[in-house]
mmCIF file of all heavy atoms in Angstrom:
data_model
loop_
_atom_site.group_PDB
_atom_site.id
_atom_site.type_symbol
_atom_site.label_atom_id
_atom_site.label_comp_id
_atom_site.label_asym_id
_atom_site.label_seq_id
_atom_site.Cartn_x
_atom_site.Cartn_y
_atom_site.Cartn_z
ATOM 1 N N GLU A 407 -7.418 -28.083 -13.032
ATOM 2 C CA GLU A 407 -7.575 -28.062 -11.574
ATOM 3 C C GLU A 407 -8.675 -27.079 -11.183
ATOM 4 O O GLU A 407 -8.727 -25.957 -11.689
ATOM 5 C CB GLU A 407 -6.266 -27.648 -10.888
ATOM 6 C CG GLU A 407 -5.109 -28.606 -11.112
ATOM 7 C CD GLU A 407 -3.865 -28.151 -10.372
ATOM 8 O OE1 GLU A 407 -3.929 -28.024 -9.123
ATOM 9 O OE2 GLU A 407 -2.838 -27.903 -11.028
ATOM 10 N N LEU A 408 -9.529 -27.527 -10.252
ATOM 11 C CA LEU A 408 -10.614 -26.688 -9.745
ATOM 12 C C LEU A 408 -10.703 -26.877 -8.242
ATOM 13 O O LEU A 408 -10.704 -28.007 -7.741
ATOM 14 C CB LEU A 408 -11.948 -27.069 -10.412
ATOM 15 C CG LEU A 408 -13.194 -26.330 -9.904
ATOM 16 C CD1 LEU A 408 -13.097 -24.838 -10.173
ATOM 17 C CD2 LEU A 408 -14.459 -26.917 -10.534
ATOM 18 N N TYR A 409 -10.793 -25.753 -7.529
ATOM 19 C CA TYR A 409 -10.892 -25.789 -6.065
ATOM 20 C C TYR A 409 -12.172 -25.080 -5.635
ATOM 21 O O TYR A 409 -12.363 -23.898 -5.905
ATOM 22 C CB TYR A 409 -9.681 -25.106 -5.422
ATOM 23 C CG TYR A 409 -8.388 -25.850 -5.600
ATOM 24 C CD1 TYR A 409 -7.617 -25.660 -6.760
ATOM 25 C CD2 TYR A 409 -7.929 -26.736 -4.643
ATOM 26 C CE1 TYR A 409 -6.424 -26.343 -6.945
ATOM 27 C CE2 TYR A 409 -6.742 -27.433 -4.816
ATOM 28 C CZ TYR A 409 -6.002 -27.226 -5.968
ATOM 29 O OH TYR A 409 -4.823 -27.908 -6.145
ATOM 30 N N LEU A 410 -13.051 -25.843 -4.960
ATOM 31 C CA LEU A 410 -14.307 -25.306 -4.437
ATOM 32 C C LEU A 410 -14.461 -25.590 -2.939
ATOM 33 O O LEU A 410 -15.562 -25.492 -2.398
ATOM 34 C CB LEU A 410 -15.494 -25.903 -5.199
ATOM 35 C CG LEU A 410 -15.646 -25.452 -6.659
ATOM 36 C CD1 LEU A 410 -16.718 -26.285 -7.361
ATOM 37 C CD2 LEU A 410 -15.983 -23.975 -6.749
ATOM 38 N N VAL A 411 -13.384 -25.924 -2.270
ATOM 39 C CA VAL A 411 -13.435 -26.246 -0.842
ATOM 40 C C VAL A 411 -13.954 -25.036 -0.064
ATOM 41 O O VAL A 411 -13.570 -23.899 -0.328
ATOM 42 C CB VAL A 411 -12.030 -26.629 -0.334
ATOM 43 C CG1 VAL A 411 -12.067 -26.904 1.164
ATOM 44 C CG2 VAL A 411 -11.507 -27.835 -1.081
ATOM 45 N N GLY A 412 -14.850 -25.276 0.893
ATOM 46 C CA GLY A 412 -15.366 -24.201 1.722
ATOM 47 C C GLY A 412 -16.558 -23.478 1.148
ATOM 48 O O GLY A 412 -17.012 -22.487 1.729
ATOM 49 N N ASN A 413 -17.096 -23.939 0.023
ATOM 50 C CA ASN A 413 -18.293 -23.355 -0.567
ATOM 51 C C ASN A 413 -19.522 -24.163 -0.150
ATOM 52 O O ASN A 413 -19.429 -25.372 0.098
ATOM 53 C CB ASN A 413 -18.181 -23.330 -2.091
ATOM 54 C CG ASN A 413 -17.233 -22.240 -2.581
ATOM 55 O OD1 ASN A 413 -17.640 -21.106 -2.819
ATOM 56 N ND2 ASN A 413 -15.964 -22.593 -2.718
ATOM 57 N N PRO A 414 -20.688 -23.526 -0.076
ATOM 58 C CA PRO A 414 -21.912 -24.265 0.315
ATOM 59 C C PRO A 414 -22.213 -25.439 -0.596
ATOM 60 O O PRO A 414 -22.760 -26.454 -0.148
ATOM 61 C CB PRO A 414 -23.005 -23.196 0.230
ATOM 62 C CG PRO A 414 -22.292 -21.894 0.408
ATOM 63 C CD PRO A 414 -20.952 -22.085 -0.217
ATOM 64 N N CYS A 415 -21.850 -25.350 -1.880
ATOM 65 C CA CYS A 415 -22.188 -26.413 -2.821
ATOM 66 C C CYS A 415 -21.454 -27.713 -2.516
ATOM 67 O O CYS A 415 -21.903 -28.796 -2.926
ATOM 68 C CB CYS A 415 -21.898 -25.968 -4.252
ATOM 69 S SG CYS A 415 -20.150 -25.637 -4.574
ATOM 70 N N THR A 416 -20.346 -27.651 -1.816
ATOM 71 C CA THR A 416 -19.598 -28.879 -1.510
ATOM 72 C C THR A 416 -20.335 -29.756 -0.499
ATOM 73 O O THR A 416 -19.976 -30.925 -0.327
ATOM 74 C CB THR A 416 -18.213 -28.522 -0.949
ATOM 75 O OG1 THR A 416 -18.346 -27.734 0.236
ATOM 76 C CG2 THR A 416 -17.400 -27.743 -1.987
ATOM 77 N N GLU A 417 -21.346 -29.193 0.160
ATOM 78 C CA GLU A 417 -22.130 -29.965 1.122
ATOM 79 C C GLU A 417 -23.309 -30.677 0.460
ATOM 80 O O GLU A 417 -24.029 -31.446 1.118
ATOM 81 C CB GLU A 417 -22.632 -29.046 2.236
ATOM 82 C CG GLU A 417 -21.499 -28.359 2.996
ATOM 83 C CD GLU A 417 -22.017 -27.393 4.054
ATOM 84 O OE1 GLU A 417 -23.257 -27.335 4.229
ATOM 85 O OE2 GLU A 417 -21.206 -26.708 4.690
ATOM 86 N N PHE A 418 -23.529 -30.419 -0.811
ATOM 87 C CA PHE A 418 -24.622 -31.091 -1.517
ATOM 88 C C PHE A 418 -24.290 -32.576 -1.674
ATOM 89 O O PHE A 418 -23.138 -32.957 -1.930
ATOM 90 C CB PHE A 418 -24.833 -30.493 -2.909
ATOM 91 C CG PHE A 418 -25.382 -29.079 -2.894
ATOM 92 C CD1 PHE A 418 -25.595 -28.388 -4.076
ATOM 93 C CD2 PHE A 418 -25.688 -28.437 -1.699
ATOM 94 C CE1 PHE A 418 -26.099 -27.108 -4.080
ATOM 95 C CE2 PHE A 418 -26.192 -27.146 -1.689
ATOM 96 C CZ PHE A 418 -26.391 -26.478 -2.885
ATOM 97 N N GLU A 419 -25.312 -33.388 -1.540
ATOM 98 C CA GLU A 419 -25.135 -34.821 -1.792
ATOM 99 C C GLU A 419 -24.889 -35.037 -3.287
ATOM 100 O O GLU A 419 -25.658 -34.583 -4.138
ATOM 101 C CB GLU A 419 -26.380 -35.588 -1.350
ATOM 102 C CG GLU A 419 -26.278 -37.079 -1.543
ATOM 103 C CD GLU A 419 -27.565 -37.807 -1.186
ATOM 104 O OE1 GLU A 419 -28.494 -37.137 -0.676
ATOM 105 O OE2 GLU A 419 -27.637 -39.029 -1.436
ATOM 106 N N GLY A 420 -23.802 -35.733 -3.619
ATOM 107 C CA GLY A 420 -23.461 -35.970 -5.019
ATOM 108 C C GLY A 420 -22.654 -34.839 -5.636
ATOM 109 O O GLY A 420 -22.534 -34.778 -6.877
ATOM 110 N N TYR A 421 -22.091 -33.968 -4.800
ATOM 111 C CA TYR A 421 -21.333 -32.809 -5.313
ATOM 112 C C TYR A 421 -20.185 -33.235 -6.227
ATOM 113 O O TYR A 421 -20.087 -32.775 -7.370
ATOM 114 C CB TYR A 421 -20.810 -31.974 -4.138
ATOM 115 C CG TYR A 421 -19.514 -31.271 -4.391
ATOM 116 C CD1 TYR A 421 -19.456 -30.141 -5.211
ATOM 117 C CD2 TYR A 421 -18.310 -31.730 -3.829
ATOM 118 C CE1 TYR A 421 -18.252 -29.495 -5.457
ATOM 119 C CE2 TYR A 421 -17.104 -31.084 -4.068
ATOM 120 C CZ TYR A 421 -17.086 -29.968 -4.878
ATOM 121 O OH TYR A 421 -15.890 -29.333 -5.116
ATOM 122 N N ARG A 422 -19.329 -34.108 -5.745
ATOM 123 C CA ARG A 422 -18.131 -34.459 -6.514
ATOM 124 C C ARG A 422 -18.473 -35.208 -7.804
ATOM 125 O O ARG A 422 -17.960 -34.842 -8.875
ATOM 126 C CB ARG A 422 -17.167 -35.270 -5.635
ATOM 127 C CG ARG A 422 -15.830 -35.555 -6.294
ATOM 128 C CD ARG A 422 -14.871 -36.260 -5.336
ATOM 129 N NE ARG A 422 -13.637 -36.631 -6.010
ATOM 130 C CZ ARG A 422 -12.566 -35.856 -6.103
ATOM 131 N NH1 ARG A 422 -12.581 -34.652 -5.555
ATOM 132 N NH2 ARG A 422 -11.481 -36.267 -6.733
#
Side-chain angles (χ1 to χ4, degrees):
E407 297 182 59
L408 176 63
Y409 291 86
L410 291 171
V411 177
N413 285 271
C415 63
T416 59
E417 300 177 4
F418 291 178
E419 181 184 354
Y421 149 74
R422 186 175 175 89

